[in-house]
Amino acid sequence: MKERMEQVEQIGRLKREKNAIVLAHNYERAEVQDIAEFVGDSLELARIAMDTDADIIIFCGVNFMAETAAILNPDKKVVIPDVCAICPMAQQLPQDVLRAAMREHPDADVVLYVNTLAESKALADCICTSANAPEIVRAMDTPTVLFGPDRNLAYYAQKGTSKMIVPVPEHGNCPSHHQITLEDLLKAKDAHPRAKIMAHPECIPEVQDRADYLASTSGMVKISKEVEDEEFLIGTEIGLLHRLEKEAPDKRFYPLSTTAVCPQMKMCTLENIEAALEHEKPEVVLSPEIMDAARKPIERMLALSH
Ligand code: 13P
Ligand code: SF4
């Protein structure tokens, strides 16, 4: 325990000395969330990264999130404590796969989930997150929209628009969310019949269709505080439960599936955060051409979403 306290104090000292901040995604380990200046969803973290005066951003999340922060801050140092924190869904849409789909649908605008490689973002008309996907798709100019890499998010984005959404690749998904089944949901609901179901739009359509609330991770935190319901079944990565329990202590939260864990989101630890602050690496480095091209669709998203 003493060691943990010393580590937290050392991280605080290094942050002050170097004018650094720690940003953490809602799925990060509890102790990582607790030392962060800001904990949030992908959209919030991108906005904070753009607005900060800090010289160094220690980004506790997966690679595409740290890359987005670096793209929005070409003059700042963005450091990811473990370079192996690579989102498997983002890997599912390399540039050549996207280029082939664009050749097949030359008149379609391209909307990519922020959970994408920077090289693919560079080809997009606009980026979206789980907090704004339907809004962004509606704002596009073309009747057909190429949307990737998450087919489940494409299903969510399809609601409220008559545009034709073409998923690219055909079956892209997040392994941690895709494994939450309808059976998991029905079992959990049996065990907690009064609980309302909150699910992330990366869940399969059958789960989305039975959810009382569909929202981004921070959207779920907001809803849990605003509504009168007292119990919730949470259909997303289980790291979010820490923040839910902290910010809505009078409510009860149960996971839809206890195995919905994203291993890459658990790679940041107090040890590697301290090392990242001390040595100011591993730094996120992308080519200036990719950064410039990828910045445009990210900034367009920030301008379009409220
Ligand atoms: P949010 O933007 O809703 O936090 O989701 C990010 C993510 O990676 C979900 O798997
Ligand atoms: Fe990627 Fe899924 Fe992990 Fe989110 S939860 S970072 S989409 S693998």
Side-chain angles (χ1 to χ4, degrees):
M1 193 62 189
K2 179 153 178 278
E3 206 180 300
R4 166 76 59 94
M5 274 171 62
E6 278 169 11
Q7 214 160 25
V8 170
E9 276 166 23
Q10 174 65 354
I11 288 172
R13 244 191 318 273
L14 286 165
K15 283 197 282 195
R16 285 189 296 278
E17 254 171 57
K18 301 197 175 204
N19 188 27
I21 56 165
V22 174
L23 303 185
H25 186 264
N26 287 319
Y27 297 156
E28 290 290 321
R29 293 167 183 272
E31 65 272 23
V32 170
Q33 295 191 28
D34 292 345
I35 57 101
E37 270 61 40
F38 189 85
V39 182
D41 67 11
S42 312
L43 182 61
E44 291 172 327
L45 292 171
R47 284 198 198 285
I48 296 277
M50 203 166 69
D51 292 344
T52 181
D53 293 331
D55 296 315
I56 301 175
I57 300 171
I58 305 292
F59 206 107
C60 301
V62 286
N63 60 337
F64 72 80
M65 296 179 176
E67 285 173 2
T68 302
I71 290 165
L72 291 170
N73 282 289
D75 302 329
K76 292 199 172 120
K77 202 177 253 190
V78 179
V79 175
I80 182 159
D82 188 332
V83 281
C84 296
I86 294 172
C87 166
M89 170 152 62
Q91 302 296 104
Q92 293 166 16
L93 186 57
Q95 225 191 40
D96 56 333
V97 174
L98 180 57
R99 279 193 194 279
M102 288 167 78
R103 278 194 298 273
E104 259 184 66
H105 299 275
D107 298 327
D109 275 348
V110 177
V111 175
L112 294 186
Y113 194 19
V114 70
N115 302 30
T116 331
L117 302 170
E119 63 173 40
S120 297
K121 283 192 180 80
L123 301 181
D125 292 292
C126 198
I127 300 304
C128 73
T129 76
S130 62
N132 58 23
E135 187 184 353
I136 297 293
V137 167
R138 279 198 300 274
M140 292 301 101
D141 301 322
T142 56
T144 303
V145 171
L146 269 178
F147 188 99
D150 187 5
R151 196 190 173 109
N152 296 324
L153 189 72
Y155 174 81
Y156 172 67
Q158 182 71 71
K159 291 177 189 166
T161 177
S162 55
K163 287 181 190 292
M164 182 166 111
I165 297 187
V166 180
V168 51
E170 209 184 330
H171 298 291
N173 66 72
C174 157
S176 313
H177 286 83
H178 201 70
Q179 56 106 18
I180 303 175
T181 61
L182 179 58
E183 202 187 356
D184 290 332
L185 181 148
L186 297 173
K187 244 201 228 159
K189 187 74 184 168
D190 253 8
H192 303 284
R194 284 161 30 101
K196 286 284 165 30
I197 298 169
M198 286 210 274
H200 195 276
E202 286 178 20
C203 290
I204 58 172
E206 294 85 339
V207 168
Q208 291 192 34
D209 289 348
R210 281 168 180 77
D212 297 291
Y213 305 104
L214 276 173
S216 75
T217 53
S218 289
M220 291 189 208
V221 177
K222 189 164 178 279
I223 291 167
S224 73
K225 293 194 273 192
E226 283 175 2
V227 299
E228 286 187 357
D229 309 308
E230 287 175 356
E231 287 180 58
F232 300 91
L233 283 160
I234 303 300
T236 194
E237 209 275 352
I238 58 173
L240 182 67
L241 270 85
H242 176 67
R243 198 172 152 208
L244 287 164
E245 283 161 359
K246 203 164 152 180
E247 295 196 23
D250 50 332
K251 309 253 169 133
R252 294 275 158 276
F253 302 99
Y254 317 101
L256 267 192
S257 161
T258 52
T259 56
V261 177
C262 174
Q264 292 75 21
M265 282 285 188
K266 310 300 171 201
M267 287 181 173
C268 288
T269 60
L270 293 183
E271 285 74 23
N272 59 25
I273 292 170
E274 186 182 336
L277 273 162
E278 177 94 46
H279 305 295
E280 301 180 20
K281 58 183 191 201
E283 191 178 347
V284 177
V285 183
L286 293 163
S287 82
E289 294 75 31
I290 295 274
M291 300 247 276
D292 289 346
R295 192 174 305 116
K296 291 189 191 98
I298 299 173
E299 286 181 346
R300 186 169 179 205
M301 166 188 77
L302 294 173
L304 282 173
S305 60
H306 300 100

